[in-house]
């Protein structure tokens, strides 16, 4: 995941030609197994480190399958090409809510499956800015 894109073109994580502090944020899911995983209706939620309120940021559409040994990247937004070779064949989408709103100081990303089970991923902000 990337909550605080670097300055300049190095921060253009979505490769749309523009560095944007919101659009270039991303969360990446990696399937390290030998099986395909159906992530239809899974949701990404986020919250900052100073609150207990989660907000849904993305819902994977019906039919979204994460193939074995592959990845899915959810960007905050932008006008990117999901088939750009820079993404290495990953499933690349924009946040269905219109943004990820990841906080630079840290927080929690929650992956919620359709059964309501939560998987929590705490993160810290950029260490060079603490």
């Amino acid at each position: 995941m990337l909550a605080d894109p670097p300055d300049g073109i190095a921060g253009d994580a979505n490769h749309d030609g523009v560095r944007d502090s919101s659009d270039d944020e991303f969360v990446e899911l990696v399937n390290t197994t030998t099986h395909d995983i159906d992530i239809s209706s899974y949701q990404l939620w986020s919250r900052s480190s100073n609150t207990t309120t989660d907000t849904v940021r993305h819902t994977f559409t019906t039919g979204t399958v994460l193939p074995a040994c592959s990845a899915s990247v959810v960007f905050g937004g932008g006008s990117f090409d999901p088939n750009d070779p820079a993404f290495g064949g990953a499933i690349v989408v924009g946040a269905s809510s219109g943004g990820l709103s990841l906080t630079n100081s840290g927080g929690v990303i929650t992956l919620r499956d359709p059964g309501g089970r939560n998987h929590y991923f705490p993160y810290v902000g950029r260490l060079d800015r603490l």
Side-chain angles (χ1 to χ4, degrees), residues 52-73:
T52 57
T53 304
D54 288 320
T55 302
V56 67
R57 304 297 182 182
H58 181 71
T59 302
F60 289 93
T61 58
T62 300
T64 304
V65 174
L66 190 55
C69 301
S70 70
S72 176
V73 179

Side-chain angles (χ1 to χ4, degrees), residues 14-120:
N14 67 10
H15 291 264
D16 66 356
V18 179
R19 186 265 182 204
D20 184 277
S21 62
S22 297
D23 289 350
D24 289 307
E25 293 180 330
F26 68 84
V27 173
E28 181 176 26
L29 302 178
V30 180
N31 178 0
T32 61
T33 74
T34 57
H35 338 287
D36 294 350
I37 300 174
D38 185 348
I39 58 173
S40 299
S41 301
Y42 274 62
Q43 295 179 321
L44 288 174
W45 295 65
S46 69
R47 72 172 180 257
S48 70
S49 57
N50 59 2
T51 184
T52 57
T53 304
D54 288 320
T55 302
V56 67
R57 304 297 182 182
H58 181 71
T59 302
F60 289 93
T61 58
T62 300
T64 304
V65 174
L66 190 55
C69 301
S70 70
S72 176
V73 179
V74 180
F75 282 108
S79 299
F80 55 86
D81 176 1
N83 299 310
D84 188 318
F87 302 133
I91 299 168
V92 179
V93 297
S96 59
S97 68
L100 293 173
S101 299
L102 303 176
T103 56
N104 296 348
S105 60
V108 177
I109 299 290
T110 302
L111 179 64
R112 181 171 294 164
D113 69 28
R117 291 176 297 268
N118 294 322
H119 310 275
Y120 301 101

